[in-house]
Amino acid sequence: MSNHLLSSFPVLLIFLFSPTNLAQSPAQAPAVPVAPTVPVTPAVPVTPMVQAAPTPSGSPPNITAILEKAGHFITFIRLLKSTQTDTLIRNQLKADSSNGLTVFAASDNAFGNLSTGALNSYSDEQKAQLAKFHLISSVLSITDFQTVTNPIATEAGPSIPMNVTESGNQLNITTGTVNTTVTGTVYTDNRLAVYQVDRVLLPLYFFSTPAPAPGPVPSKPKKKAPAPTGLSGDASVSLSGAVRVIQRQLGVVSFGGISCCRTSFVCLS
C-alpha cells in the first residue's frame, strides 16, 4: 500500500503543476486600431489682391473702407482724404445719373518708389489733381478697355488724359511720364471698379516747365538830326534869325548881324 502511494506521488505532482491547472493570467485588452493618417492639405496662401465683399444694394461703395480692407494703401487713402477726393467719389456714386467710377489705386510700395520728398513738394492743387488723375468717370471692367478710345479723360480734367490699353487681360497704362500695368483687381461691382497699380500715375504736366511770357520789345533809340557843320553853297543857311540867303556856289560873309554877298557886295539886313 505504501509502496503504491509513493509510486503515484510523482504522477500527482505532475498533475498539480501541469499548465492546464495553473491559474491563467488575465487576458490582455485587444489593441485599439489606429486610424490611418490623413494627409494635411497645406493652406492656400491668400494673394494680396482679394476682392472685397460687394456693398449691400442701395448703399454706395465706401472707397476708403474697401482700400483699408485690402491693405497696403495707407498713403493713397491719406491722399484721398487730405484732398477730399474720397468725398467726391462718395457723392458721385450717390448720384442717380452717375456712370460709376474706375479707380487706379497706387499701393504703398508705389509711393515708396517716388523720389524722397516728392509728394510733400507738390502744392495742394497739384495733390488734388494727382488724386483725381487716378479716377475715370465711368466704371470699366478689364474687357471694357478693349473698346475705349484713347486718350481717356480723367477726373483731373480733359487736358490731363492717359492712355489705357488691354492686351491679354492685362491693362497697360501710360501717362507720358509713367508706364505701368494693373497688378490686380481690388473691388468691382456695377458702380465702382478699383484696380491696383504699383506706380504712382504722375501727369505729364507735373514735369513740363512753361515757357516764360515774352517781355516788352525794347524800343530803338531815335537818331538825332545831325547838327549843321557850316556854310555850303548848296545849303539853306539862317543868319541873325531874320534873313535867309540861298545862293548856289557862293560864299556868305556876316558882319555884326548884317549878311553880305561877296560877289555883289550887296548887304541885306
Side-chain angles (χ1 to χ4, degrees):
M1 180 71 178
S2 60
N3 292 334
H4 179 72
L5 292 174
L6 290 174
S7 61
S8 60
F9 182 73
V11 177
L12 180 62
L13 291 177
I14 293 173
F15 175 78
L16 292 174
F17 291 97
S18 64
T20 57
N21 292 325
L22 292 175
Q24 293 183 354
S25 61
Q28 294 181 354
V32 177
V34 179
T37 303
V38 178
V40 178
T41 304
V44 178
V46 179
T47 61
M49 300 309 301
V50 177
Q51 179 173 328
T55 304
S57 177
S59 301
N62 187 326
I63 182 63
T64 56
I66 291 170
L67 294 175
E68 286 171 356
K69 183 172 183 179
H72 54 269
F73 292 105
I74 297 175
T75 307
F76 189 63
I77 293 172
R78 188 181 303 123
L79 178 65
L80 294 179
K81 289 182 176 181
S82 65
T83 58
Q84 298 183 347
T85 307
D86 60 331
T87 304
L88 169 69
I89 295 174
R90 183 168 59 252
N91 291 339
Q92 288 197 209
L93 295 178
K94 280 182 180 179
D96 295 335
S97 60
S98 174
N99 294 322
L101 284 171
T102 298
V103 179
F104 294 115
S107 64
D108 290 333
N109 184 59
F111 282 97
N113 289 331
L114 293 176
S115 58
T116 304
L119 186 59
N120 292 331
S121 68
Y122 299 145
S123 65
D124 291 342
E125 181 182 358
Q126 286 178 314
K127 290 178 182 178
Q129 288 188 325
L130 178 63
K132 294 176 183 177
F133 191 56
H134 289 71
L135 311 180
I136 298 177
S137 302
S138 58
V139 57
L140 298 171
S141 66
I142 297 293
T143 56
D144 287 337
F145 284 98
Q146 295 177 351
T147 57
V148 297
T149 302
N150 285 303
I152 300 176
T154 66
E155 283 289 315
S159 61
I160 313 177
M162 69 170 63
N163 290 331
V164 184
T165 57
E166 189 272 344
S167 176
N169 290 331
Q170 175 175 292
L171 291 186
N172 304 310
I173 304 173
T174 178
T175 69
T177 59
V178 173
N179 297 317
T180 188
T181 59
V182 169
T183 56
T185 300
V186 180
Y187 177 91
T188 181
D189 64 13
N190 61 345
R191 287 181 289 180
L192 178 66
V194 183
Y195 303 108
Q196 176 176 323
V197 290
D198 287 337
R199 295 284 302 276
V200 178
L201 305 180
L202 298 172
L204 179 62
Y205 93 96
F206 272 29
F207 303 93
S208 301
T209 303
V217 178
S219 58
K220 295 182 179 180
K222 295 181 179 180
K223 294 183 179 180
K224 295 182 179 181
T229 56
L231 302 176
S232 63
D234 295 328
S236 297
V237 182
S238 175
L239 299 175
S240 301
V243 180
R244 303 179 67 184
V245 178
I246 302 175
Q247 182 69 34
R248 286 183 176 273
Q249 297 179 352
L250 292 177
V252 179
V253 181
S254 175
F255 298 95
I258 300 176
S259 299
C260 300
C261 299
R262 289 189 303 174
T263 56
S264 62
F265 296 100
V266 177
C267 295
L268 303 176
S269 58

